[in-house]
Amino acid sequence: EQGRASNRFCGPAAISALTNKDTAETARSLRDRGGLRQITGTSEKLFKETLYYDYGIDLYQLSDYSKNCMNRRPTLARWLKQTIKFRTKGRVFVIIAGNHYQIISGRRYVCGMVGEICSIRDKKVRRRARVEKVYEARSV
């Protein structure tokens, strides 16, 4: 199946949400850059390199909780609550939580599992996932 939902894994889906490109195209970029036959998961390094070199988007790291033990990392719900004033219109955040890439801008949320842009309050959002890293996406 070709089209927007042709690769629903979170790496191609997150890049698709950031670039407005089809997931088939973003998966091809990941495969080409990583020398892979198929995309079923995406390393953070490959994700960042593909965004930067193929689409001109740089990820600036804002927080790194990965060194903390699991129960010391904030949940997505807590991070959202703590950053209400910080998440202003036009700022786009890439969050790694629950081994999953998630895109948040203001009160809008999208990831490969949800499939479409929804509110951060939507029941489909995995708000109990522990946040590992937070990046801000900016054009180069």
Side-chain angles (χ1 to χ4, degrees):
E1 170 192 332
Q2 287 297 316
R4 196 141 196 82
S6 58
N7 188 321
R8 293 285 303 274
F9 286 99
C10 72
I15 293 174
S16 174
L18 288 168
T19 62
N20 206 26
K21 303 286 185 196
D22 187 88
T23 57
E25 181 182 329
T26 59
R28 190 176 325 103
S29 292
L30 286 163
R31 283 194 313 271
D32 292 348
R33 182 150 304 280
L36 303 168
R37 285 182 51 229
Q38 64 181 7
I39 297 295
T40 55
T42 308
S43 72
E44 190 176 333
K45 181 178 186 272
L46 179 59
F47 181 79
K48 289 169 66 175
E49 285 178 356
T50 302
L51 269 176
Y52 185 81
Y53 293 111
D54 295 355
Y55 299 104
I57 296 174
D58 201 3
L59 296 182
Y60 294 88
Q61 188 167 337
L62 301 177
S63 302
D64 183 356
Y65 303 103
S66 62
K67 304 284 187 273
N68 297 1
C69 64
M70 198 58 159
N71 63 356
R72 295 228 176 220
R73 296 178 191 169
T75 61
L76 183 58
R78 176 175 283 170
W79 185 86
L80 289 167
K81 194 178 281 188
Q82 291 172 341
T83 59
I84 289 172
K85 290 183 174 71
F86 188 61
R87 291 183 285 111
T88 56
K89 186 178 178 179
R91 291 183 83 179
V92 179
F93 300 95
V94 176
I95 297 176
I96 302 173
N99 293 322
H100 193 62
Y101 296 103
Q102 301 162 56
I103 312 298
I104 295 177
S105 182
R107 296 184 50 79
R108 296 284 170 225
Y109 172 94
V110 69
C111 76
M113 290 190 319
V114 171
E116 76 245 346
I117 297 172
C118 64
S119 167
I120 56 174
R121 308 293 285 171
D122 195 293
K123 289 188 182 346
K124 295 181 227 169
V125 177
R126 294 173 47 204
R127 299 169 56 79
R128 293 174 64 190
R130 297 281 179 177
V131 175
E132 198 173 315
K133 292 187 182 178
V134 179
Y135 293 95
E136 183 174 1
R138 299 180 192 162
S139 294
V140 177

